[in-house]
Amino acid sequence: MDAKSTTYLAGEIRKTALSMVYEAKSSHIGGAFSMADILAVLYEDVLHVDPSEPKMVDRDRLLLSKGHACSALYAVLGLKGFFPMESLASYGQDGSSFLTHISHYIPGVEISAGSLGHGLPIACGLALAAKRKARPWTTFCLMSDGELDEGSNWESFLLAPQLGLDNLVVIIDYNKIQSLGFVKDVIDLEPLIQKFEAFKWEVFTIDGHEIQEIYTTLSSAKAARNGVPKVVIAHTVKGKGVDFMENKLLWHYKSPNATEYQQALGQLD
Amino acid sequence: MRTAFITELIRLAEVDEKIFLVVADLGFSVVEPFAEKFPDRYLNVGIAEQNMAGLAAGLAMEGYSVFIYSIGNFPTLRCMEQIRYDICYHNLPVRIVAVGGGYAYASLGPSHHATEELGMLRIIPNLIVSAPADPYEAAAVTRLMSRHSGPCYIRLGKAGEPVISRVEQPAELRVGQILPIVTREGATAVFSTGSMLKYVTDFLNENGIQASVYSFPFVKPMDKEVLTELFNRYRTIITIEEHQRNGGFGSAILELLHDAIEAGTLIKEPTIKRIAINDTFYSKAGSQDYLRSIAGLTLNLDLFKTEDL
Ligand SMILES: Cc1ncc(C[n+]2csc(CCOP(=O)(O)OP(=O)(O)O)c2C)c(N)n1
Ligand SMILES: [Mg+2]
């Protein structure tokens, strides 16, 4: 693992996502930035994927359940060569396949997601299929914190340990903000570690912006075939990387204007 | 439309202390004034639509007139069984409000295209299904439904729809009321539901077409007497909706036409042409107008009779 190149990739993800959201006048840059470092580590060093063969049978599956933050995933897929970077210019434009919620019509994207609380049940299905077919891949599901309000997730949190899905790694982008306020004020998730432990998951807690820590944790969570599913609680900052976006509810919605765009780009350089 | 809705709801809540608003973590810069004014009659349940619908049923059982609010498919498809069984079977005064009907959230993709819900909801007993066309209809429907003893669904446009000028603008609506927008000499009438109305009136005006236009703020029920009269008056009826063709508004019109034939109340049978989405998901980004156009939700001159032109 080369922390320098991964950090560089994370910066490129943020800049690319920012430009996409700016040009398309779309939303959700805050939640794209909070998971950018995690995506950088996943695509740089953790996921077994091949840009020239996106449907490779034994690839690792990454499901972005918080599909509204798609700009960062499209960005990393483009940067990694799953499709030409130029095609990202059409993001959100008339006729483009780059929908502003993640679309499975884009090479490298496993599922469309835009209604929260759908990723994890599908991930359980993929992980179970790997078990039944004796295939080696790992299924990753990247979720948001607000999304944990949805009951569908908790059905899966109950089921996965029952099925012994040790080939499933859930990552929670715990950026502490959802749509109408702070997570602790809407539905407090704490104590979250204990919840998952009580549900019989192996729990890891990390700083979701520390490249080395993300890498060490995700790679060991992926490697351990010990009969239990893994959940990685990543403490993150919504809007991470641009000071006026950090920890601000407004940047769940707002698209940067020209001045904000330039300022943000400057900070990301 | 969403502003008309929340403004009307606040007005109603000032005099009706049974009104309760529940949201599922949506309504940023819309619901705040309500939440501040009536903190005891407001709740954000979080991103949990099934919980929202079930909880609304409980509140309604205890006498509240409950409005539940979210966007697109989330307050409907995401909690369909709670709607059918908890709310509608118990026949409770819960008003389900969805902002962003049809392709209002066009670029966000099929998760956010509310293009099947009218059909799914209109077959549920006890449920009134409404799709106002403009801020006037939205406010009037909200007012009417706040007094209704049973459940209803209100599909709203996202924002910015203008008030459409019309031949009659009754201060209050009746359930099922069909609203004439413009009546002309021609043999054709366009029946529109929801926010397609603006497009329809603009198209007819721009092309000088002598067709009449009726707005249907209710997909269910519809005033059968008025409808039969319209069936008898026009040779061609074009239905238009931002919804799938199967099971939607146009289908409801066909069913009612057939019911009228069965009942023997028709003097002559009009041709019905349905404009709706042709059983397809559209996975392309773009504006609402762009999505409408690729989905074929457009009028053209060939649809009309020579005497209309
Ligand atoms: C079922 C469902 N309900 C509501 C929404 C609308 N919505 C989009 S993003 C969001 C919440 C954003 O907060 P969070 O889930 O924590 O995501 P992040 O902070 O990572 O952006 C909501 C409620 C949705 N997409 N799906
Ligand atoms: Mg969040």
Side-chain angles (χ1 to χ4, degrees):
Chain A
M1 214 270 308
D2 174 3
K4 235 186 170 163
S5 69
T6 309
T7 306
Y8 177 78
L9 178 62
E12 293 301 299
I13 294 173
R14 286 194 172 89
K15 282 189 278 183
T16 308
L18 180 75
S19 303
M20 290 161 66
V21 164
Y22 169 66
E23 296 293 342
K25 297 188 173 46
S26 65
S27 301
H28 306 133
I29 192 67
F33 281 0
S34 62
M35 65 177 194
D37 299 303
I38 296 167
L39 286 180
V41 173
L42 281 167
Y43 280 90
E44 191 75 356
D45 281 306
V46 177
L47 294 179
H48 174 57
V49 289
D50 180 355
S52 66
E53 204 192 332
K55 290 282 177 200
M56 180 174 66
V57 176
D58 284 332
R59 71 190 181 280
D60 288 336
R61 275 75 167 153
L62 171 74
L63 277 61
L64 181 67
S65 192
K66 44 171 286 189
H68 59 276
C70 60
S71 58
L73 181 55
Y74 291 144
V76 72
L77 291 172
L79 289 160
K80 281 291 172 188
F82 280 83
F83 45 78
M85 280 301 276
E86 303 81 73
S87 55
L88 287 175
S90 74
Y91 176 68
Q93 310 295 334
D94 285 359
S96 172
S97 294
F98 287 94
L99 302 173
T100 64
H101 279 51
I102 200 72
S103 169
H104 70 285
Y105 286 104
I106 301 300
V109 176
E110 300 289 344
I111 60 161
S112 286
S115 177
L116 293 164
H118 286 248
L120 185 54
I122 300 174
C124 286
L126 295 174
L128 179 62
K131 288 267 170 207
R132 295 283 163 97
K133 301 198 295 184
R135 304 309 310 187
W137 77 72
T138 302
T139 301
F140 290 83
C141 185
L142 180 45
M143 305 175 61
S144 55
D145 46 7
E147 183 178 13
L148 293 180
D149 296 350
E150 290 285 1
S152 53
N153 294 316
W154 295 95
E155 298 178 19
S156 291
F157 282 126
L158 276 169
L159 180 67
Q162 184 73 26
L163 298 175
L165 299 180
D166 54 7
N167 54 353
L168 173 64
V169 179
V170 169
I171 306 165
I172 314 270
D173 179 2
Y174 199 175
N175 63 22
K176 320 291 186 296
I177 293 182
Q178 52 190 93
S179 280
L180 280 187
F182 288 101
V183 170
K184 70 170 166 24
D185 298 328
V186 179
I187 296 188
D188 193 358
L189 298 173
E190 293 302 330
L192 191 55
I193 298 175
Q194 288 87 335
K195 282 189 179 74
F196 290 133
E197 282 175 351
F199 276 54
K200 301 187 218 169
W201 285 62
E202 186 173 348
V203 189
F204 302 83
T205 307
I206 59 169
D207 177 336
H209 302 302
E210 276 299 323
I211 297 293
Q212 186 64 50
E213 199 181 339
I214 301 170
Y215 171 71
T216 313
T217 307
L218 291 184
S219 42
S220 58
K222 172 177 169 174
R225 294 293 156 103
N226 55 0
V228 280
K230 324 289 184 306
V231 57
V232 178
I233 301 171
H235 289 282
T236 56
V237 175
K238 201 155 177 169
K240 176 73 179 181
V242 173
D243 60 8
F244 59 87
M245 294 182 178
E246 287 187 0
N247 217 15
K248 294 272 191 316
L249 177 63
L250 184 65
W251 289 96
H252 181 70
Y253 300 94
K254 197 174 181 329
S255 191
N257 61 32
T259 322
E260 290 161 339
Y261 173 61
Q262 288 307 333
Q263 272 176 348
L265 264 191
Q267 291 189 26
L268 293 172
D269 251 332
Chain B
M1 257 197 261
R2 105 186 135 175
T3 316
F5 159 73
I6 197 73
T7 311
E8 190 61 34
L9 190 66
I10 290 172
R11 224 182 345 244
L12 291 164
E14 276 162 1
V15 290
D16 180 353
E17 58 197 37
K18 293 195 304 235
I19 289 180
F20 201 120
L21 174 63
V22 187
V23 305
D25 211 38
L26 282 164
F28 181 70
S29 75
V30 179
V31 299
E32 291 84 352
F34 188 102
E36 276 157 33
K37 247 184 151 153
F38 313 105
D40 292 345
R41 290 187 277 141
Y42 168 81
L43 178 71
N44 176 12
V45 294
I47 311 167
E49 296 76 13
Q50 299 183 63
N51 213 14
M52 170 169 75
L55 176 134
L59 286 170
M61 283 173 189
E62 293 301 330
Y64 285 105
S65 164
V66 189
F67 285 77
I68 64 178
Y69 176 100
S70 186
I71 67 165
N73 293 312
F74 307 140
T76 55
L77 275 61
R78 196 73 172 77
C79 47
M80 192 57 90
E81 192 166 61
Q82 281 79 7
I83 291 173
R84 173 182 177 271
Y85 193 53
D86 305 341
I87 296 172
C88 295
Y89 181 51
H90 293 86
N91 204 9
L92 294 165
V94 176
R95 304 74 170 76
I96 302 150
V97 181
V99 167
Y103 292 123
Y105 290 101
S107 259
L108 281 61
S111 62
H112 284 65
H113 296 164
T115 45
E116 292 83 28
E117 96 289 16
L118 295 174
M120 293 189 194
L121 292 167
R122 80 179 180 87
I123 59 178
I124 301 178
N126 292 341
L127 188 63
I128 291 175
V129 177
S130 72
D134 69 353
Y136 152 70
E137 288 187 15
V141 166
T142 304
R143 213 156 44 238
L144 177 67
M145 288 299 110
S146 76
R147 297 189 294 263
H148 179 58
S149 63
C152 79
Y153 169 63
I154 307 175
R155 173 205 258 219
L156 297 176
K158 188 153 70 100
E161 296 83 1
V163 176
I164 311 258
S165 69
R166 42 182 88 218
V167 285
E168 287 164 35
Q169 189 161 307
E172 300 298 334
L173 295 184
R174 283 176 287 105
V175 171
Q177 193 163 355
I178 298 164
L179 298 169
I181 301 300
V182 50
T183 45
R184 296 190 176 103
E185 296 300 301
T188 303
V190 182
F191 289 1
S192 172
T193 192
S195 60
M196 291 305 298
L197 184 61
K198 163 110 176 64
Y199 167 76
V200 171
T201 53
D202 286 354
F203 181 89
L204 298 188
N205 290 341
E206 278 158 24
N207 292 284
I209 296 168
Q210 291 304 307
S212 302
V213 181
Y214 294 84
S215 179
F216 286 64
F218 298 94
V219 172
K220 179 197 151 189
M222 294 180 205
D223 185 326
K224 283 190 192 155
E225 253 172 61
V226 171
L227 197 58
T228 305
E229 228 177 273
L230 299 178
F231 286 151
N232 282 327
R233 190 177 318 158
Y234 296 100
R235 275 227 314 274
T236 304
I237 288 167
I238 299 166
T239 67
I240 187 162
E241 65 199 292
E242 204 166 6
H243 188 273
Q244 298 288 349
R245 185 178 164 89
N246 294 328
F249 166 65
S251 293
I253 295 288
L254 284 181
E255 290 164 18
L256 292 165
L257 174 74
H258 198 269
D259 288 352
I261 294 170
E262 249 187 321
T265 50
L266 278 199
I267 303 160
K268 53 186 196 285
E269 195 180 323
T271 306
I272 309 268
K273 298 178 180 175
R274 286 183 293 159
I275 298 184
I277 306 162
N278 210 354
D279 201 20
T280 306
F281 291 119
Y282 285 94
S283 310
K284 293 290 174 207
S287 65
Q288 182 169 19
D289 283 344
Y290 177 76
L291 264 290
R292 283 177 175 182
S293 75
I294 61 172
L297 304 186
T298 49
L299 295 170
N300 62 70
L301 298 181
D302 297 339
L303 290 163
F304 297 89
K305 304 246 174 253
T306 26
E307 65 257 40
D308 299 327
L309 303 174

